[in-house]
Structures are given as C-alpha cells and as structure tokens.
Amino acid sequence: MYYYRYDNAEVSCCYKYLMFSYNIIFWLAGVAFIAVGFWAWSEKGVLLDLTQVTRLHGFDPVWLVLVVGGVTFILGFAGCVGALRENICLLKFFSGVIGFIFILELTMAVLAVVFQSQVREWINDFFLANVRGYRDDIDLQNLIDSLQRMNHCCGAQEPDDWDQNVYFSCNGTHRSREKCGVPFSCCITDPADSPGVVNTQCGYDVRNSPKSQWNSHIFTKGCIAALEDWLPGNLYTVAIVFIVISLLQMVGIYLARTLISDIEKSKFPY
C-alpha cells in the first residue's frame, strides 16, 4: 500500500474565520444603517415621491446614513463571502477599498491642517446653505437644532445669519410669525422652565430688539467659532477616535492580505 504526501499549504482556518467574524459585524451594521435610512425616508414620504430628494435645498442627513450603510454593506459582504469561498478577487477588492479609504482619510486630515482658512470658509458656506434649507427637511432641522443646543451657538458666524432663511429673515414683505427671530435651539434655557418642556417660541422677534440685549435671551456666538473653541480641548478624543478607526482598517487589510497569501500558496504551490 502506498501513501501519498501532499505538500500544498492549507488555508489557515484561524485567519479565515477571523476575517469572516470581522466582516459579519460590518455587514450587519451596513444592513442596520440602510434600514434606518429607508425608514427615515418613508417617515418623510420620500419613498412615495422621489422628486422630494431633488427639491431639498440643504443637506439631507439620510443621504450620509445610506452612503455609509451602502459602503459598509458592500465591504462586509465582499469580506464575508471572500473569506468563506476563499475568493481572491473579493478579498483583493475588500483590502483595496479599505486601503483607499484609509489613504483618503489621511489626505483629508492633512489638507484640513494645511488649508485651514479654506476649510473654515467651506464649512461656513455649507452651514449657511443648510440654514436656508432649515424648514425643508425635518432631519436637517433636528441636526441644526442639536448642533446649536449642544454647542451653545446660533448661526454660522452670528444670529443674523438666520436672515438667510426665508422664514426668519427680517427682510422682505413675508408675514411669517418667525420673522426677525431665530430657532428655539438658539435660546438660552430659562431656569424657571419645567424640565423637559421646550419653549419653541422663545426665539420669536428676538432680532427686533437691540443687539446689546440679545445675550440675555439667545446664544450670540456663531457655530464656526464654537467648533474652533471645542476642538483644542478635545484633540485627544479626536486623535483616539482616528487611531481606533485606523487600527480597525489596518486589521482588516492585514487579515485579507494574509488570507490571500494562504489561498495563493494552497492553490498555486509552485
């Protein structure tokens, strides 16, 4: 009786199932993001009238949720199937896209540091564009309100930036009750108000009064300045988040490249 000895290397089960486990989390996260995005659109009636997407003047946060969910879903799917089926093409696609995203993040971080004035101007223009679309989309409205309340700010540079919005503008002949006002999220909380009760009319007619009286009713600092004040005190937090994300990406690339190497050795030993 003769026994044959095969010298072909085997694919490491450890790396294979680590790669699968790593990606199944991202695949499920992608499914969750996509589900939340479509749920938000269904609540706003966008799915019944897709033309609403093109009519929005500001940034719809649902787009960000859907894009992140879509990319995460595709990468998770490619990683899972590539690992289980030992598909070199899918694994190379996974590692290539993750590597591209990592380089893109580094490039954006460097450009943000080098071109600070241009970035500040872009953020200012972006914020003003969304101020104009404040009443067009409920998710955008909630996002701006959260930003202003959390950072105790109002407008991009100052409360008068709300003149950019047709409902809050002091200019023109419109008869909006919010004319010459600001959103409630600009208001300084009154200690006499009951906890959990929000006075949504607190910003009405505020900008009709002299500017010297504004700081007793509303936040007068712009959100761009508030962001600039927040960043230096939270550099360590930002750095830790960036490092954790980078490490997760590097782990994914390492697992994919190691698995590719094992598969190539087992299939093409010579």
Side-chain angles (χ1 to χ4, degrees):
M1 185 178 292
Y2 295 95
Y3 294 92
Y4 293 93
R5 183 173 179 266
Y6 294 91
D7 294 326
N8 291 14
E10 293 183 357
V11 176
S12 171
C13 288
C14 178
Y15 285 119
K16 182 176 180 176
Y17 290 108
L18 272 176
M19 181 70 180
F20 175 78
S21 302
Y22 175 90
N23 280 281
I24 195 68
I25 296 171
F26 287 97
W27 183 78
L28 291 173
V31 171
F33 272 104
I34 292 171
V36 169
F38 279 111
W39 171 80
W41 267 0
S42 69
E43 288 292 302
K44 293 188 291 186
V46 174
L47 296 181
L48 298 176
D49 181 13
L50 293 176
T51 58
Q52 291 185 40
V53 175
T54 59
R55 293 201 300 266
L56 181 63
H57 299 294
F59 169 70
D60 186 352
V62 177
W63 272 115
L64 180 61
V65 173
L66 288 174
V67 169
V68 171
V71 172
T72 306
F73 176 86
I74 292 170
L75 286 175
F77 178 81
C80 286
V81 176
L84 289 180
R85 301 296 298 174
E86 299 179 8
N87 189 302
I88 293 176
C89 183
L90 286 176
L91 291 172
K92 284 184 176 180
F93 169 79
F94 171 84
S95 61
V97 174
I98 291 288
F100 173 76
I101 293 173
F102 178 70
I103 293 170
L104 189 64
E105 290 169 352
L106 285 178
T107 304
M108 290 176 63
V110 171
L111 290 176
V113 172
V114 174
F115 300 103
Q116 291 185 30
S117 59
Q118 289 90 335
V119 170
R120 185 182 304 150
E121 183 179 346
W122 178 83
I123 294 174
N124 183 72
D125 292 342
F126 180 74
F127 197 98
L128 289 177
N130 288 292
V131 162
R132 289 190 285 272
Y134 177 77
R135 288 297 189 204
D136 294 346
D137 183 83
I138 187 64
D139 291 322
L140 174 63
Q141 183 175 311
N142 290 335
L143 183 64
I144 293 176
D145 285 336
S146 298
L147 180 67
Q148 292 189 145
R149 295 184 73 179
M150 288 172 61
N151 294 284
H152 296 173
C153 60
C154 189
Q157 301 290 344
E158 59 178 353
D160 275 338
D161 287 337
W162 283 99
D163 268 336
Q164 299 275 337
N165 186 281
V166 65
Y167 297 99
F168 295 97
S169 175
C170 293
N171 306 317
T173 57
H174 67 89
R175 303 180 63 181
S176 168
R177 183 62 189 87
E178 296 173 315
K179 185 175 182 178
C180 269
V182 292
F184 72 92
S185 53
C186 287
C187 296
I188 297 173
T189 305
D190 189 343
D193 290 342
S194 302
V197 176
V198 178
N199 180 8
T200 57
Q201 299 180 3
C202 60
Y204 286 8
D205 302 318
V206 167
R207 290 188 295 120
N208 276 328
S209 59
K211 285 191 175 183
S212 58
Q213 299 178 12
W214 287 5
N215 57 7
S216 60
H217 301 287
I218 62 173
F219 305 119
T220 54
K221 180 186 288 187
C223 290
I224 306 299
L227 177 63
E228 291 173 344
D229 291 344
W230 175 86
L231 196 56
N234 293 273
L235 276 178
Y236 286 114
T237 304
V238 174
I240 289 171
V241 170
F242 182 79
I243 290 170
V244 169
I245 293 173
S246 300
L247 285 175
L248 286 173
Q249 291 171 334
M250 296 304 291
V251 167
I253 293 172
Y254 170 76
L255 290 173
R257 298 310 302 181
T258 303
L259 197 52
I260 289 170
S261 177
D262 280 1
I263 295 169
E264 287 177 339
K265 286 177 183 177
S266 66
K267 290 185 176 180
F268 313 105
Y270 300 109

